[in-house]
Amino acid sequence: MEENEQKNPDEAQAQALPDLGKFKSVDALLRAYGELEAEFTRRSQKLKALEDAKTQKGEAGAVREDELYRMVNENEGVRARVLSDYLSSLKGVPLLANSGVGVTAERAVPKTFGEAGAMALSYLKKNKE
């Protein structure tokens, strides 16, 4: 029994240590844990920055819209193209022909409220079609 009680000191220390897997010592495990923790912190900070940027884009939509409006207004060609496309998309409103010539019509001035009402109804019926 004395033999069992008197073990090699290295064996006793080896039995007292937990299984460290691929790590050779507790110091190596601790060092690896520190590196892992630092990397986790870096990735968490990067993720937070990306989330903040995404949130700011959503909240700054009005700012970007104002900037886009300013840029379009400063560019005569873009402004003319946008206006032309918009006017072409309108149906039943002959404001301008593609040639840029305005549409003329005889001026009609009602003399009574009844005439004004009839003119308004006529105009609304034409635009509805």
Side-chain angles (χ1 to χ4, degrees):
M1 283 203 188
E2 283 185 34
E3 287 180 29
N4 289 342
E5 290 177 11
Q6 292 181 351
K7 293 183 179 177
N8 187 349
D10 291 335
E11 287 179 21
Q13 186 180 9
Q15 288 178 352
L17 293 176
D19 181 22
L20 300 177
K22 67 179 185 175
F23 299 101
K24 295 180 181 176
S25 67
V26 173
D27 290 337
L29 176 62
L30 187 59
R31 189 172 37 258
Y33 177 79
E35 291 170 5
L36 182 63
E37 187 177 33
E39 180 64 24
F40 178 76
T41 301
R42 279 191 296 276
R43 288 182 184 229
S44 295
Q45 289 170 345
K46 187 175 182 179
L47 179 61
K48 175 82 169 110
L50 290 172
E51 288 173 347
D52 289 347
K54 184 178 179 182
T55 301
Q56 287 175 358
K57 283 182 183 178
E59 293 171 355
V63 173
R64 288 184 292 143
E65 190 174 296
D66 289 343
E67 184 178 347
L68 182 60
Y69 177 79
R70 181 189 54 76
M71 290 171 58
V72 168
N73 262 343
E74 289 175 357
N75 188 317
E76 184 69 29
V78 172
R79 187 173 45 193
R81 184 174 172 192
V82 168
L83 183 59
S84 175
D85 288 349
Y86 172 71
L87 292 175
S88 296
S89 72
L90 298 176
K91 295 181 181 174
V93 181
L95 296 174
L96 294 174
N98 284 339
S99 63
V101 177
V103 178
T104 60
E106 198 174 301
R107 185 171 182 206
V109 180
K111 294 180 176 130
T112 66
F113 282 112
E115 286 181 16
M119 286 174 66
L121 286 174
S122 172
Y123 175 76
L124 292 172
K125 286 180 184 177
K126 285 181 185 177
N127 281 341
K128 191 173 186 180
E129 295 170 359

